Amino acid sequence: MQFLAFVQQLAEQKKRDGHEKTAANYVSAQRAFRRFLCLSQQESLTLHQITEDVVRRFEHHLLHECGVRRNTSSAYMRSLRAAYNEALRLRLCPDRHPFTGVYTGVDKTCKRAVGERDLLRLFFSDLGANQHLAFSRDLFYFSFLGHGIPFIDIAKLCTDDVQGGHLVYARSKTGQRLMTEICPAMNQIIRRWHVTGSRRLFPIVGFPFRQSDYEVALRRYNRHLKLLAAQFGIQGGLNSYAARHSWASEAYRLGVAVDTISSCMGHTTEATTRIYLRSLSTQQTDMQLRPVLDAYQRPLA
């Protein structure tokens, strides 16, 4: 059986089972491997032809000819390895251990917080008639004020998630329920961009949620943030994670307790912190977070 055809079958099965992210990972890895084979003047390979030499050459192609980062290459390798292991489970080929010599780990990346001066210029500068950049800037600001709420969770927000002056939502990554006060600046952003009659709080993705639509929106968002970083001279650039990291850094700088920051960001790995913060009332949390909101609230340009 052709390896790429088998990967495609797995992607389609994962999508039918509702695992859209996994399906998308399979498709991305398959496309990258297909491009490599085309450049190598090979149309496809059977499962029996997937060898350590082939996989090593694919990794070299990604890192040294395509210039992708090691984590991206590793993600492709993990998806293809998972497909190969499924073929082994089905006894479609013998185990040649083709992924032994390539990197399949995850490198720690440096997540850079944006400094106070850059944040203030970004949040409160007039972007003129460029509505696309203004929308992305406001989403970044909303993420910051919302305790670093990730972009995927903003995209999934519905009008029903607004409850008594708070956002009440479940993190996509962990399923953990979080509550975030909607400060006046966040409310202004909602009023500015919410489409009347829509179930979504913001016009990012439709309803129901589709992973493919989200990935298009995320690429567009990061592209706009890159343009904003260039426009305002923000060293190191901007991406969808920068708002989250910047909020944590600024909250800490302004005296918010570390355990409160961890709780608000939904850091489920800190079990002791979660146990302690279960006893914190919403009012106590809001009071501790007030310095951050007071420092960063102004009428939007």
Side-chain angles (χ1 to χ4, degrees):
M1 184 175 187
Q2 298 296 318
F3 180 59
L4 291 178
F6 182 71
V7 176
Q8 181 63 35
Q9 286 182 14
L10 289 180
E12 292 170 356
Q13 182 61 54
K14 290 294 183 182
K15 189 171 184 178
R16 285 194 297 270
D17 293 342
H19 303 300
E20 292 196 5
K21 179 61 176 177
T22 302
N25 290 341
Y26 277 132
V27 170
S28 295
Q30 183 213 46
R31 287 174 179 168
F33 194 62
R34 187 185 299 279
R35 286 193 295 269
F36 161 70
L37 291 178
C38 288
L39 290 172
S40 303
Q41 297 183 339
Q42 294 177 282
E43 290 188 4
S44 188
L45 296 175
T46 66
L47 285 164
H48 289 72
Q49 292 174 312
I50 302 300
T51 63
E52 184 176 352
D53 178 65
V54 169
V55 176
R56 279 181 177 272
R57 285 192 289 111
F58 177 45
E59 182 184 53
H60 183 275
H61 164 75
L62 291 171
L63 296 174
H64 302 289
E65 296 175 22
C66 298
V68 305
R69 296 184 179 183
R70 204 160 78 128
N71 277 346
T72 301
S73 171
S74 177
Y76 292 154
M77 295 301 171
R78 291 196 302 274
S79 292
L80 296 179
R81 183 181 61 183
Y84 186 82
N85 288 340
E86 179 63 13
L88 293 178
R89 188 186 70 81
L90 296 173
R91 299 183 179 180
L92 297 177
C93 62
D95 191 356
R96 301 178 184 277
H97 307 285
F99 294 90
T100 301
V102 297
Y103 181 70
T104 55
V106 179
D107 285 344
K108 290 185 178 181
T109 56
C110 180
K111 296 180 180 179
R112 181 184 179 276
V114 182
E116 177 189 9
R117 293 180 63 183
D118 285 337
L119 287 173
L120 291 171
R121 287 191 301 121
L122 174 66
F123 293 158
F124 306 121
S125 294
D126 186 356
L127 295 176
N130 195 325
Q131 292 294 293
H132 297 297
L133 289 186
F135 181 47
S136 293
R137 185 272 307 275
D138 285 359
L139 291 178
F140 189 90
Y141 187 28
F142 188 91
S143 174
F144 179 88
L145 293 174
H147 312 161
I149 176 173
F151 182 68
I152 189 170
D153 294 334
I154 295 177
K156 289 182 175 181
L157 286 175
C158 294
T159 54
D160 291 344
D161 295 326
V162 178
Q163 301 176 19
H166 288 77
L167 287 177
V168 182
Y169 67 98
R171 281 202 65 196
S172 296
K173 185 175 182 179
T174 63
Q176 182 182 3
R177 299 287 292 178
L178 295 177
M179 178 179 288
T180 303
E181 181 187 14
I182 302 176
C183 66
M186 292 172 71
N187 202 35
Q188 186 180 356
I189 292 170
I190 293 171
R191 291 198 308 270
R192 175 179 289 184
W193 299 107
H194 175 66
V195 177
T196 303
S198 173
R199 292 181 63 179
R200 295 290 184 200
L201 207 58
F202 295 109
I204 300 173
V205 296
F207 199 95
F209 178 86
R210 292 185 175 85
Q211 183 68 29
S212 57
D213 293 341
Y214 167 71
E215 290 175 356
V216 171
L218 178 61
R219 287 194 293 270
R220 181 169 58 244
Y221 180 53
N222 278 321
R223 186 167 63 250
H224 290 166
L225 291 179
K226 184 176 180 180
L227 292 173
L228 287 166
Q231 180 172 332
F232 291 103
I234 298 175
Q235 296 297 315
L238 288 174
N239 57 37
S240 60
Y241 294 101
R244 184 169 175 80
H245 193 59
S246 298
W247 178 82
S249 297
E250 285 299 285
Y252 182 75
R253 183 180 70 83
L254 293 166
V256 179
V258 173
D259 49 9
T260 301
I261 296 171
S262 298
S263 176
C264 291
M265 298 182 77
H267 286 168
T268 58
T269 56
E270 296 189 19
T272 304
T273 300
R274 293 203 313 274
I275 292 170
Y276 168 74
L277 289 174
R278 283 195 192 105
S279 63
L280 270 180
S281 69
T282 300
Q283 184 178 7
Q284 286 174 307
T285 301
D286 292 344
M287 288 176 63
Q288 289 195 48
L289 296 171
R290 182 60 58 188
V292 184
L293 299 179
D294 289 345
Y296 283 91
Q297 283 193 91
R298 294 183 190 173
L300 298 183

